[in-house]
Amino acid sequence: MDRPPKKTATAKPASPAASLKSAPVKPKSAAQQALDKLGLRTPMDFALHVPMRYEDETTVVRLADAPVGESVQIEGVVLRCDITFKPRRQLVVQLQDDGVGLNSGGGERSMCTLRFFSFYPSHQKALAVGQRVRVRGELRGGFFGFEMVHPTIKPADAALAVALTPVYHSTAGLPQAYVRKAVASGLQRADLSETLPPQGLQALQALGLPPQWTLRASLELLHQPPPEVSLQALEDKDHPAWLRLKAEELLAQQLSQMQARAERASMQAPDFAVHEQASWSAALLKVLPFSLTSAQSRVATEIGRDMAAHAPMHRLLQGDVGSGKTVVAALAACAAMQAGWQCALMAPTEILAQQHFAKMLQWLQPLLEQHGKTVAWLTGSQKKKERTAMLASVESGQAALVVGTHALIQDSVVFHKLGLVIIDEQHRFGVAQRLSLRRKLTHTQGGRQLSPHLLMMTATPIPRTLAMSYYADLDVSTIDELPPGRTPIVTRVLPGAKREELVARIREQVEQGRQVYWVCPLIEESEALDLRHATQAHQELCEALGVEQPGDDETALPLVGLMHGKLPPARKQAVMQGFIDGHTRVLVSTTVIEVGVDVPNASLMVIEHAERFGLSQLHQLRGRVGRGAAASACVLLYEPPLGQVARARLRAMQQTNDGFELSRIDLELRGPGEFLGARQSGAALLRFAELGVDDDVLAWAAEQAADLLANNPQAAQRHMMRWMGGKVDYLKA
Ligand code: ADP
Ligand code: MG
């Protein structure tokens, strides 16, 4: 819920004196817009806009002692003040300070040039020759001596600051002075009354928060630190004021997730309880060429239990690549379909959706036919005629299972009776997509509001603290075991210069009837370059293997295939099918094959420029091999020199095949942002607390949130609104 932008009462356009200090102030509406852009609207927004750093204006330094590259305050007499036109129009001022300092060595160390590229007569007046002024800015050591660009100016007789000066995050055209005033005003007007229960505050004391640090006292300290406060404690965020903010923030996060959970628990959902005899799931299990691992059985039971309850399921199924999540999804679909409901299975890419569709047909078609039902399929690239037919079957309910990409959630798709939604590789979808899905899903059935069950699947396991913090509203099932009979993948790391050695290896695999992936890197911001690289690699491999390059015949399925994002969808599908069927032995590809693709006969994966990939991406890619019984290998080619992090990533890949372990290492190397993926763009990332650092506060918050919701729901609401405002919704996605 967005509030209309309010006018900030005291944020007047700065006075001429203020405009002298910095760039000219834009008219109010522009500044207002700039504040809006920073997300600053309500008094609380301003109160929580804590400084990103502080400047020490309590002292004036001598130029001779001043550190170049840092922001300093100096004082001196203007010797020269001219407008010059080369290289562009500017006001150039020569300032001389008293020149006595510890390192005072020569005249030039007491001179500083000030440059203004935009200036007003007021600048010239304040900087007239002979004036004594105090200026502050970043000191640069240019070729012609010291320089400052656009320093702020004060008369030399102005009182020195007695405390640290806050510096706020701002944008172009929004002067610090303006933000500072708006913040001060917000801080005064915001409702900062206590929301924490006494026992919660008491528990915080044990974590180092003395009772005097109320929210107001903490914010006031951070915005206007008194002279005695150490800059270090503020910068290290270990002042009690910081602890208070972190605790409040984490509490809000926990509250909103627990509330989302409670809301869901109060919603109605279809009931899929089925009788074991003659169940569709049992029929599916019979046609499978394998039996479930015990981990698969366990999670299937957990999911089944959720779907037999009256509240909508909200479950994340995590399992390493190749752990067999798809069949678990199919089992869940069986329960929904048998109970007379539709199931939607959504995948992040066309290739993956296509593959799921093929698999579902293979597994479920006979069963569905018996009951006069079908599997439908929806993607963005579909032919109009086919799409129309599919849409009709979805709307009539004839399609019991609908597989597709996010085309599934478009407005034109009308479900007859949607009871279960399964999202594969859920972290690949954006917050907006998941929200729109959720909105679309709640529907009225016979006078009752019913929400479908939701099952999300991911191969990127979420570390525990992260799960606790960001996914506290999710139930999690984990497949912690791979199907039997797989030989572990052997991973080798090789410099790119040795790629020729690989050709013999590839030929050997092909001669043994196996298949090979050759993955080319994503080149930042350039699909065209990606393509060129993949095309070239394809050509080289064709030559090295002595395979004839396919001509322009679009239908030919070559021994060495080429797959990239720019191919027309139909061609993509054909190339992929060629590889799945085994005609194509070597598939040169950009990272489009990253997620979910399943070709058990593939036994060798080569990844070029492996140093450019993230750890979870490498693991996902590697997971494309080792899906059958054949011994499989992954070769990571890199281009030296390797950075420290890249080296650590490649080493980790070589040392373990365990997705959970890799995910832990990844968290260590990169911080939590990576894992959150799209959730990050929901602006829901923590601003004050830091996972891994403030885990004790997180545990405190989890405990308090449960307590507060149960015993003081009003305070809980006030706390959430204060901290999250309109963002609460995002957390539910
Ligand atoms: P992921 O969890 O990565 O989505 P998939 O569902 O694609 O994994 O399964 C990987 C491969 O393992 C598929 O070929 C699938 O048919 C096979 N598979 C799944 N479960 C078993 C099992 N219990 N025993 C043997 N093979 C299995
Ligand atoms: Mg999968």
Side-chain angles (χ1 to χ4, degrees):
M1 180 188 60
D2 275 347
R3 283 179 210 82
K6 273 192 207 139
K7 303 233 157 112
T8 316
T10 57
K12 295 183 291 254
S15 60
S19 73
L20 199 154
K21 286 182 204 158
S22 47
V25 175
K26 293 204 173 151
K28 192 167 181 174
S29 63
Q32 207 73 53
Q33 273 171 15
L35 289 176
D36 257 25
K37 217 162 85 190
L38 292 176
L40 300 175
R41 296 184 185 100
T42 66
M44 197 62 203
D45 292 339
F46 285 99
L48 292 179
H49 190 58
V50 305
M52 54 178 186
R53 59 189 171 85
Y54 300 87
E55 274 177 1
D56 191 350
E57 285 182 305
T58 59
T59 49
V60 170
V61 297
R62 298 259 148 68
L63 271 169
D65 304 327
V68 170
E70 279 177 33
S71 188
V72 295
Q73 180 161 254
I74 56 172
E75 205 175 287
V77 176
V78 177
L79 299 186
R80 217 189 93 195
C81 177
D82 301 313
I83 297 174
T84 66
F85 292 90
K86 275 183 192 154
R88 55 189 265 217
R89 185 170 181 271
Q90 54 183 287
L91 182 68
V92 181
V93 174
Q94 201 69 42
L95 192 76
Q96 180 170 40
D97 83 347
D98 298 342
V100 191
L102 296 175
N103 307 318
S104 156
E108 78 278 9
R109 286 201 62 97
S110 66
M111 293 289 203
C112 185
T113 306
L114 315 179
R115 290 185 198 282
F116 299 86
F117 297 107
S118 74
F119 54 93
Y120 290 86
S122 57
H123 282 92
Q124 284 161 280
K125 195 168 158 215
L127 294 165
V129 172
Q131 290 281 17
R132 192 173 168 83
V133 291
R134 191 182 300 152
V135 299
R136 67 168 292 115
E138 187 188 310
L139 190 67
R140 299 184 189 170
F143 185 67
F144 299 105
F146 292 130
E147 258 192 38
M148 276 188 194
V149 178
H150 281 242
T152 57
I153 314 157
K154 277 181 193 167
D157 54 5
L160 271 178
V162 291
L164 297 173
T165 310
V167 180
Y168 292 99
H169 175 57
S170 185
T171 58
L174 190 60
Q176 282 294 317
Y178 195 102
V179 182
R180 228 169 268 158
K181 274 192 193 163
V183 165
S185 153
L187 193 55
Q188 259 176 22
R189 290 178 301 134
D191 167 20
L192 300 176
S193 58
E194 188 63 79
T195 46
L196 303 192
Q199 80 278 8
L201 286 167
Q202 225 156 40
L204 264 186
Q205 275 188 48
L207 297 178
L209 188 81
Q212 71 268 29
W213 293 104
T214 59
L215 179 58
R216 176 167 294 282
S218 301
L219 284 172
E220 278 172 359
L221 177 121
L222 294 177
H223 286 297
Q224 296 138 15
E228 68 277 9
V229 165
S230 117
L231 185 58
Q232 199 62 43
L234 291 179
E235 282 177 350
D236 295 350
K237 300 190 181 181
D238 60 6
H239 191 281
W242 269 108
L243 175 55
R244 172 78 200 211
L245 254 63
K246 291 171 174 183
E248 292 240 348
E249 177 179 49
L250 286 169
L251 178 62
Q253 188 201 40
Q254 294 299 301
L255 280 173
S256 65
Q257 301 213 7
M258 283 184 198
Q259 170 165 286
R261 180 186 277 272
E263 274 172 19
R264 205 163 26 249
S266 70
M267 291 194 286
Q268 297 280 311
D271 175 353
F272 300 158
V274 289
H275 302 291
E276 274 310 311
Q277 296 94 340
S279 83
W280 291 27
S281 320
L284 166 59
L285 290 178
K286 258 191 226 130
V287 304
L288 289 179
F290 50 77
S291 49
L292 297 186
T293 62
S294 62
Q296 282 170 319
S297 301
R298 175 173 44 76
V299 300
T301 308
E302 286 165 3
I303 292 166
R305 206 181 297 136
D306 279 3
M307 296 190 305
H310 295 284
M313 165 169 74
H314 195 232
R315 189 170 281 278
L316 180 69
L317 172 58
Q318 53 178 24
D320 209 347
V321 285
S323 62
K325 294 182 290 294
T326 318
V327 67
V328 175
L331 286 166
C334 278
M337 296 188 298
Q338 184 173 6
W341 292 82
Q342 283 175 303
C343 171
L345 171 56
M346 184 160 89
T349 63
E350 297 235 345
I351 292 178
L352 193 51
Q354 165 70 29
Q355 192 181 285
H356 279 336
F357 178 59
K359 197 133 234 181
M360 293 300 151
L361 276 182
Q362 181 195 331
W363 285 344
L364 298 170
Q365 177 115 323
L367 185 62
L368 287 171
E369 265 171 12
Q370 275 174 32
H371 296 86
K373 298 283 183 187
T374 58
V375 184
W377 133 264
L378 283 171
T379 72
S381 66
Q382 209 157 25
K383 294 249 161 55
K384 184 129 192 270
K385 199 168 147 204
E386 189 188 29
R387 185 175 166 80
T388 311
M390 291 293 174
L391 283 176
S393 75
V394 175
E395 190 162 0
S396 72
Q398 206 219 350
L401 177 59
V402 190
V403 184
T405 57
H406 54 265
L408 275 182
I409 55 174
Q410 277 158 10
D411 284 340
S412 52
V413 186
V414 182
F415 288 93
H416 175 64
K417 205 180 163 192
L418 184 60
L420 170 65
V421 175
I422 304 173
I423 305 181
D424 196 13
E425 311 290 347
Q426 66 93 26
H427 59 286
R428 302 282 302 239
F429 289 97
V431 173
Q433 279 165 334
R434 282 181 291 179
L435 268 181
S436 116
L437 182 73
R438 186 173 288 279
R439 277 195 212 102
K440 188 180 177 65
L441 293 187
T442 309
H443 59 148
T444 314
Q445 190 89 58
R448 283 195 307 160
Q449 281 271 333
L450 284 182
S451 305
H453 297 286
L454 183 57
L455 176 64
M456 295 170 267
M457 308 201 287
T458 182
T460 308
I462 303 166
R464 209 186 71 86
T465 49
L466 220 73
M468 234 178 105
S469 164
Y470 284 92
Y471 296 90
D473 60 338
L474 271 187
D475 296 305
V476 178
S477 289
T478 305
I479 305 183
D480 52 6
E481 162 187 19
L482 292 180
R486 303 227 175 126
T487 34
I489 306 164
V490 177
T491 301
R492 281 189 68 200
V493 178
L494 275 185
K498 298 206 172 163
R499 53 195 281 165
E500 250 117 76
E501 290 176 17
L502 279 172
V503 174
R505 185 104 179 250
I506 292 174
R507 186 175 294 132
E508 188 187 285
Q509 292 298 313
V510 170
E511 276 163 7
Q512 289 173 12
R514 302 270 147 65
Q515 288 168 277
V516 177
Y517 288 104
W518 183 287
V519 179
C520 299
L522 186 82
I523 293 163
E524 206 77 33
E525 285 154 19
S526 169
E527 252 182 275
L529 266 183
D530 262 14
L531 183 55
R532 201 171 71 206
H533 193 107
T535 316
Q536 195 179 329
H538 177 243
Q539 198 173 340
E540 281 171 17
L541 268 177
C542 284
E543 277 162 23
L545 292 170
V547 173
E548 251 184 60
Q549 280 224 55
D552 286 338
D553 182 3
E554 284 284 294
T555 55
L557 287 173
L559 231 55
V560 179
L562 173 62
M563 170 73 112
H564 56 77
K566 279 277 150 74
L567 288 179
R571 179 70 191 157
K572 252 190 230 169
Q573 212 165 298
V575 171
M576 203 59 222
Q577 202 54 49
F579 193 63
I580 291 171
D581 296 345
H583 301 303
T584 296
R585 288 315 176 76
V586 180
L587 185 63
V588 177
S589 165
T590 55
T591 48
V592 289
I593 57 142
E594 180 193 342
V595 283
V597 174
D598 182 35
V599 179
N601 191 43
S603 57
L604 175 61
M605 156 84 50
V606 180
I607 304 176
E608 273 196 274
H609 279 290
E611 77 280 1
R612 293 189 187 162
F613 292 93
L615 196 47
S616 73
Q617 212 182 0
L618 286 174
H619 181 60
Q620 289 260 343
L621 283 168
R622 179 172 61 181
R624 300 308 113 217
V625 296
R627 308 196 135 226
S632 297
C634 174
V635 179
L636 303 175
L637 293 175
Y638 68 90
E639 292 309 316
L642 278 181
Q644 214 173 2
V645 174
R647 185 182 302 274
R649 281 201 296 257
L650 297 184
R651 192 183 305 127
M653 282 295 291
Q654 198 164 20
Q655 281 167 356
T656 181
N657 276 312
D658 179 344
F660 280 80
E661 176 63 8
L662 287 171
S663 142
R664 194 191 56 72
I665 296 173
D666 205 19
L667 184 65
E668 232 171 66
L669 291 175
R670 297 219 198 191
E674 284 298 307
F675 290 87
L676 299 170
R679 207 163 256 230
Q680 204 170 5
S681 59
L685 260 195
L686 295 168
R687 290 158 64 189
F688 303 101
E690 204 179 320
L691 293 182
V693 178
D694 300 312
D695 292 351
D696 49 348
V697 192
L698 176 60
W700 169 89
E703 202 171 302
Q704 292 305 316
D707 193 73
L708 202 58
L709 275 175
N711 299 317
N712 194 347
Q714 273 141 0
Q717 291 310 319
R718 208 145 48 84
H719 190 86
M720 265 184 279
M721 272 320 284
R722 169 183 292 171
W723 277 88
M724 323 221 87
K727 290 170 206 140
V728 173
D729 242 16
Y730 266 143
L731 288 171
K732 296 183 195 162

